[in-house]
Amino acid sequence: MGGLRELADPFVVPGPAGVAVRARLRVSDTDAAVLREVGAFVGGLAAGDLARRCGQALGHDAGSWAVRKRELTGLSSARWAGSVTKATHDQWALARRGQAAELAWLRGQITRIEARLARPLGVKADKRAGLPRGYGSRAEWHAKSRRLHALRDRLVRLEADWAAGRVHVVRGGKPLVRLRHHLDQAGLDPQGWRRRWEAARMFLSADGESGKRFGNETIRVTGTGQLSVRLPAALAHLANAPHGRYRLDATAKFHHRGEEWCDRITNNRAVAYRIHHDPVRGRWYVTASWQRTPVPVLPLEAALARGVVAVDMNDDHLAAWQLDVHGNPVGEPCRFFYDLSGTTAHRDAQIRHALTRLLHYTRATGAAAIAIEDLDFTDGTSREKHGRNKRFRRLISCFPTARLTARAAEQDIAVVAVDPAYTSRWGAQHWQQPLTSKNRKVSRHDAACIAIGRRALGHPIRRRTAPPRTHQSDGYGHRTVQAGPDTRRREGTRRPVTDRAPDAPPRTGTTERTRATSASTTVRDARSTRTRVQDSLLRTD
């Protein structure tokens, strides 16, 4: 194994800890006008609170939080103030995490560019020495040297912001702000962009609270789907229900996970709601979310007790093959194709359909686990790490690993992640040719499935290897990698199987031909009963 990196052990991926479902609201014009007014009013409070929190930087404490919340309570209500301040803190914390991720990314990019600039032009990578390849041309080298200076300047500014606690946040999203300067390219008019901007900056979110009626006092959805909103104090004149509430004519019906949602509100358990508007389609939606009790991760042995379905992810299909507990492929390989071209909605639907077919296939085989490669591309899908192959960089950004884990957990199917090292290479080397027949064409991706599944099951990927000619008598141990240390030897001489008792005297008056015929008949009879026998030399009197 010299020169090969150490392989990580397989593990069961933990399932999701949160749930979110969405339902459409078919609101009337009056309901839409009230929701817009409430969302714009609370959104203005949220924008001001976010500005104050960003101005405090690292000097924030519990006292300043209480002051901000009291001020917002006088303008709206205690519950709206709690939701706004919590959303502000979450937004600031998210911005800080983004800064930390960008710092790590910039330092990694600078290190890679410096290493490649130090190499001669056109030189190949030296993996043993840990040296990257050089740039292909002098023009590319010059362009990368300029980019290096730009990244260094960007890193200096970001490090200063990090030390001072400054974050740069845009309520509504920075992409939408940039879109304002390119309306002609986006095919929008100023009025259309304004509607998107106002919808993105509305604030109609409320966290749930256990013990309260239906799990939420600010935005309440009853078991029949009746939705009502607690109005801020400044908009109390819009109320059409007791206690300063506005009841919508539209009803919310959660078809997906509806029973689980109904169980929570019936027992007054916390459910968070968010009402949002899609100005492109002209639709209103309500999203319900809640946290689940953490489910203990299934032990690896229990997950693999009925075999595994190994999956190799590719740019246009998922290759899958069932393996039994011994690591042997069962049945025929399957492929679930998808097309990642086109719009985002099209790509999302394609991946969702492929994952649905994969989960149905897994349930049909009777396996309780899916084995996939532990592909971690969070470190960067940049050109510096993966070269100029834009298709490959787009490919590794589309692997639906997280989505597969969430959907498999709903069907009680475990997901086992394995180390991806050498799976394609060893699968093609040791399994592609032996499994290819006149009626079955095994691809490199199908062979990689077997490598992934065997690694998840704890079996070696490489098949038996013949020893050198001088060692074919097994003078130095077993000749195959499958044979374990407790397997009894198979190559030694054994006592012949005969029909005589061990203490019976030798027969007399028989010829050598008769004895040979009797011995060969005994061997054939033994083989017919599937008893392993080894021929030995017959002794002559």
Side-chain angles (χ1 to χ4, degrees):
M1 298 291 287
L4 302 181
R5 70 173 178 86
E6 184 178 357
L7 302 180
D9 296 330
F11 62 93
V12 179
V13 182
V19 174
V21 294
R22 189 179 70 172
R24 182 181 175 183
L25 294 175
R26 301 182 183 276
V27 300
S28 62
D29 295 339
T30 304
D31 292 345
V34 172
L35 290 177
R36 287 192 183 95
E37 189 169 355
V38 175
F41 177 79
V42 184
L45 299 181
D49 185 67
L50 181 61
R52 291 191 58 183
R53 175 62 188 90
C54 293
Q56 293 174 357
L58 300 178
H60 173 264
D61 55 7
S64 61
W65 184 3
V67 170
R68 290 174 23 236
K69 187 174 181 180
R70 281 195 298 268
E71 294 178 356
L72 291 175
T73 301
L75 298 174
S76 56
S77 66
R79 299 189 181 280
W80 277 117
S83 299
V84 168
T85 53
K86 184 180 182 301
T88 297
H89 293 162
D90 293 341
Q91 185 67 56
W92 190 86
L94 178 62
R96 288 288 285 182
R97 291 196 299 270
Q99 280 185 340
E102 188 177 4
L103 280 172
W105 180 81
L106 285 173
R107 289 165 182 164
Q109 290 290 99
I110 291 173
T111 302
R112 293 190 184 99
I113 294 178
E114 289 177 344
R116 295 189 65 183
L117 288 176
R119 298 279 286 167
L121 294 177
V123 68
K124 295 183 179 180
D126 189 350
K127 294 185 178 180
R128 293 186 178 273
L131 299 175
R133 62 185 179 89
Y135 287 110
S137 62
R138 185 171 295 276
E140 186 179 7
W141 187 96
H142 178 70
K144 289 299 180 180
S145 63
R146 296 187 60 183
R147 176 169 172 79
L148 179 61
H149 289 289
L151 292 178
R152 285 174 177 171
D153 294 340
R154 182 176 167 186
L155 179 62
V156 170
R157 294 193 300 268
L158 189 58
E159 287 177 341
D161 290 342
W162 176 265
R166 289 191 300 268
V167 297
H168 304 277
V169 181
V170 178
R171 289 200 71 253
K174 188 181 294 185
L176 194 56
V177 175
R178 293 175 176 172
L179 186 63
R180 179 63 180 85
H181 306 286
H182 306 281
L183 295 180
D184 53 344
Q185 299 178 8
L188 285 174
D189 55 0
Q191 292 77 17
W193 178 88
R194 175 61 62 179
R195 288 192 293 268
R196 291 190 183 185
W197 178 251
E198 293 175 351
R201 290 175 65 87
M202 284 194 309
F203 190 95
L204 285 171
S205 303
D207 298 327
E209 185 177 358
S210 296
K212 298 299 181 180
R213 190 180 180 186
F214 298 110
N216 199 313
E217 285 287 345
T218 307
I219 299 177
R220 180 184 297 170
V221 182
T222 64
T224 58
Q226 186 66 54
L227 190 149
S228 62
V229 180
R230 175 66 181 272
L231 296 174
L235 301 178
H237 61 280
L238 299 176
N240 62 357
H243 309 292
R245 306 187 68 88
Y246 181 84
R247 183 179 300 167
L248 277 71
D249 297 333
T251 58
K253 295 181 180 180
F254 298 101
H255 300 283
H256 183 54
R257 307 181 194 274
E259 296 181 357
E260 186 177 355
W261 167 80
C262 187
D263 178 70
R264 291 190 68 89
I265 65 172
T266 303
N267 296 292
N268 297 330
R269 300 170 63 187
V271 179
Y273 294 102
R274 174 176 174 261
I275 302 175
H276 51 284
H277 177 54
D278 184 358
V280 178
R281 296 184 176 182
R283 298 177 179 179
W284 289 83
Y285 298 94
V286 57
T287 301
S289 58
W290 60 89
Q291 290 184 347
R292 285 180 168 180
T293 303
V295 180
V297 179
L298 191 67
L300 184 62
E301 294 77 9
L304 302 174
R306 290 182 290 172
V308 68
V309 173
V311 179
D312 180 56
M313 297 184 180
N314 305 282
D315 60 344
D316 59 346
H317 74 280
L318 300 176
W321 207 334
Q322 180 191 5
L323 277 72
D324 60 16
V325 294
H326 305 290
N328 301 318
V330 179
E332 298 294 330
C334 293
R335 298 178 185 177
F336 308 103
F337 292 91
Y338 49 81
D339 182 15
L340 296 181
S341 62
T343 62
T344 303
H346 173 76
R347 295 195 300 267
D348 181 78
Q350 289 283 309
I351 292 178
R352 185 170 60 250
H353 182 58
L355 293 182
T356 301
R357 295 174 59 196
L358 172 63
L359 293 174
H360 289 172
Y361 168 75
T362 304
R363 292 179 64 89
T365 59
I370 295 177
I372 61 174
E373 295 176 316
D374 185 16
L375 299 171
D376 184 12
F377 295 110
T378 58
D379 187 32
T381 59
S382 65
R383 180 175 177 178
E384 297 303 325
K385 184 174 181 180
H386 300 292
R388 294 183 293 272
N389 192 344
K390 186 180 296 185
R391 177 180 174 84
F392 178 73
R393 284 185 276 136
R394 186 185 301 115
L395 160 66
I396 61 181
S397 301
C398 297
F399 279 138
T401 306
R403 184 178 298 185
L404 174 61
T405 304
R407 301 193 64 178
E410 298 301 320
Q411 302 191 25
D412 296 329
I413 298 176
V415 177
V416 180
V418 303
D419 196 310
Y422 316 112
T423 53
S424 298
R425 183 186 306 176
W426 287 353
Q429 179 181 357
H430 298 282
W431 293 96
Q432 184 176 4
Q433 192 275 333
L435 294 176
T436 300
S437 62
K438 187 182 301 183
N439 299 325
R440 179 172 62 188
K441 177 65 175 177
V442 176
S443 67
R444 184 183 182 91
H445 305 299
D446 299 331
C449 292
I450 301 179
I452 295 171
R454 290 182 65 87
R455 181 168 289 172
L457 293 166
H459 300 304
I461 296 177
R462 294 180 289 182
R463 292 167 57 86
R464 62 181 60 187
T465 54
R469 293 287 298 176
T470 56
H471 296 166
Q472 287 191 3
S473 62
D474 288 349
Y476 291 89
H478 302 290
R479 75 167 61 204
T480 63
V481 295
Q482 277 88 344
D486 56 343
T487 305
R488 71 174 191 170
R489 299 178 181 272
R490 297 286 187 180
E491 284 75 19
T493 57
R494 301 181 186 175
R495 188 166 58 77
V497 178
T498 62
D499 55 350
R500 294 185 301 157
D503 54 349
R507 298 178 182 178
T508 59
T510 57
T511 62
E512 183 176 353
R513 181 173 180 175
T514 304
R515 291 175 181 170
T517 304
S518 177
S520 62
T521 303
T522 304
V523 171
R524 286 196 300 270
D525 294 342
R527 288 175 179 172
S528 65
T529 58
R530 297 189 178 182
T531 303
R532 298 192 61 178
V533 188
Q534 182 171 351
D535 295 334
S536 61
L537 298 177
L538 296 178
R539 184 178 58 187
T540 58
D541 296 336

